[in-house]
Amino acid sequence: KIRTIFNISNERKNLFNEDEYPFSIEDNIIKLKPNLSSKQKLYLYLLISSSLNIFNIVDSEITDDFELISYYCLKYFLTSKSVIKKFGANSDYTGNTISKINQLIADLGLKPNEENINDISTKNIKERGLDLVAWLPFKDKIPNMLIFMFQCACGKNWESKQGETELFSNYMYFNINPIHGMFVPYSMSKTDNRFYQFDRIKKVLFFDRKRIIEQFENCDFLSDIQSLKIIEKSLSIRITF
């Protein structure tokens, strides 16, 4: 098991840039680098986000902030013309699920499937699997445009959550099928230009730890991430030898 940890760590050292990977590996010793950069702290946050079983006391705060990090990641990934909305935690939409869906449909300029929408309980306030939605509008406001729908998943059950956003095709009539995607805090990229467990990844636009970190030119947004306090606390009390 220890040999596996070192093998994986060495591979990640080669995969991530110097200012992204927070650990040094020399003479069979893994050490946390001093004076961590913001990207290295972001790496540690994503590492913690992928270990909710250890940080289960604050898992809701961690998952909420992961959606926020994914939101900022999309802002860097897409063009400045894009519109990005939060639909999950800290949603940009208000009311129950029906209200939120109808507000989104109005923003997209699409036609609602009212029969299916009315099948949703008025007591339901959940996001129905959609955490982030983005689109690239044209000045003519014709809803013939690229639309992205993302699920953000920190848990070990991320595989089963793939494609949950496809449910929204039941609620509105898309002119062009949206691009469905997923954000996970796990490090899935390999140095051979493949993902670990590639056979488990469906036809979704997939953002793992490497793809998330590499989008950011700077990490000024980290001041909005409350869970970063967990990183600072962990760094201040770590055992030194």
Side-chain angles (χ1 to χ4, degrees):
K1 185 175 182 179
I2 293 175
R3 186 181 296 111
T4 299
I5 291 173
F6 271 87
N7 288 341
I8 292 175
S9 298
N10 269 312
E11 183 171 19
R12 291 179 182 172
K13 177 184 176 182
N14 295 327
L15 177 68
F16 286 85
N17 294 338
E18 179 69 22
D19 69 332
E20 296 173 343
Y21 195 61
F23 303 102
S24 63
I25 305 171
E26 297 177 3
D27 300 325
N28 294 325
I29 297 174
I30 299 176
K31 296 180 71 173
L32 192 66
K33 294 176 181 177
N35 304 316
L36 296 179
S37 69
S38 56
K39 283 192 175 183
Q40 289 166 341
K41 290 182 179 180
L42 176 58
Y43 183 102
L44 291 177
Y45 167 79
L46 295 173
L47 182 61
I48 285 177
S49 299
S50 66
S51 307
L52 292 182
N53 56 312
I54 299 175
F55 297 89
N56 56 357
I57 296 177
V58 290
D59 59 357
S60 61
E61 290 88 348
I62 291 173
T63 54
D64 286 356
D65 281 343
F66 181 65
E67 288 185 21
L68 188 57
I69 285 174
S70 301
Y71 169 84
Y72 284 115
C73 180
L74 271 185
K75 286 180 72 72
Y76 275 97
F77 178 70
L78 298 175
T79 73
S80 59
K81 296 180 180 179
S82 64
V83 178
I84 305 171
K85 296 284 188 177
K86 297 184 286 291
F87 201 84
N90 303 309
S91 177
D92 291 316
Y93 299 100
T94 58
N96 60 16
T97 302
I98 293 176
S99 175
K100 291 176 182 177
I101 290 175
N102 281 326
Q103 291 170 57
L104 174 59
I105 291 172
D107 279 351
L108 295 173
L110 297 176
K111 181 181 178 181
N113 186 326
E114 295 181 358
E115 184 176 3
N116 286 343
I117 293 175
N118 290 334
D119 284 338
I120 303 172
S121 170
T122 56
K123 296 180 180 179
N124 197 318
I125 59 173
K126 297 295 184 180
E127 72 282 354
R128 312 294 279 187
L130 177 64
D131 293 317
L132 296 172
V133 58
W135 61 95
L136 300 175
F138 291 92
K139 290 183 178 180
D140 57 26
K141 297 185 180 180
I142 298 173
N144 174 266
M145 59 187 176
L146 281 176
I147 299 174
F148 300 81
M149 293 187 154
F150 284 92
Q151 165 74 231
C152 304
C154 291
K156 304 295 183 185
N157 62 336
W158 63 266
E159 182 182 2
S160 64
K161 289 181 173 291
Q162 295 178 90
E164 281 190 0
T165 54
E166 293 177 8
L167 180 66
F168 279 75
S169 62
N170 294 332
Y171 304 138
M172 59 194 83
Y173 297 100
F174 293 103
N175 291 173
I176 298 175
N177 289 332
I179 296 173
H180 298 280
M182 169 163 275
F183 285 92
V184 299
Y186 301 96
S187 184
M188 306 286 286
S189 302
K190 298 170 62 178
T191 52
D192 61 356
N193 299 322
R194 290 181 61 82
F195 286 125
Y196 283 106
Q197 303 172 326
F198 215 156
D199 59 311
R200 295 172 59 191
I201 299 174
K202 298 179 181 179
K203 292 182 179 180
V204 297
L205 183 59
F206 201 80
F207 282 81
D208 72 330
R209 188 180 303 167
K210 174 61 177 173
R211 284 188 165 187
I212 292 172
I213 293 176
E214 70 183 14
Q215 300 307 318
F216 296 109
E217 297 175 7
N218 63 68
C219 294
D220 294 342
F221 67 93
L222 284 178
S223 59
D224 296 332
I225 307 301
Q226 295 301 310
S227 299
L228 196 66
K229 295 176 182 177
I230 300 173
I231 304 298
E232 301 296 351
K233 184 69 173 179
S234 300
L235 293 175
S236 66
I237 64 174
R238 73 182 189 274
I239 298 174
T240 57
F241 295 91

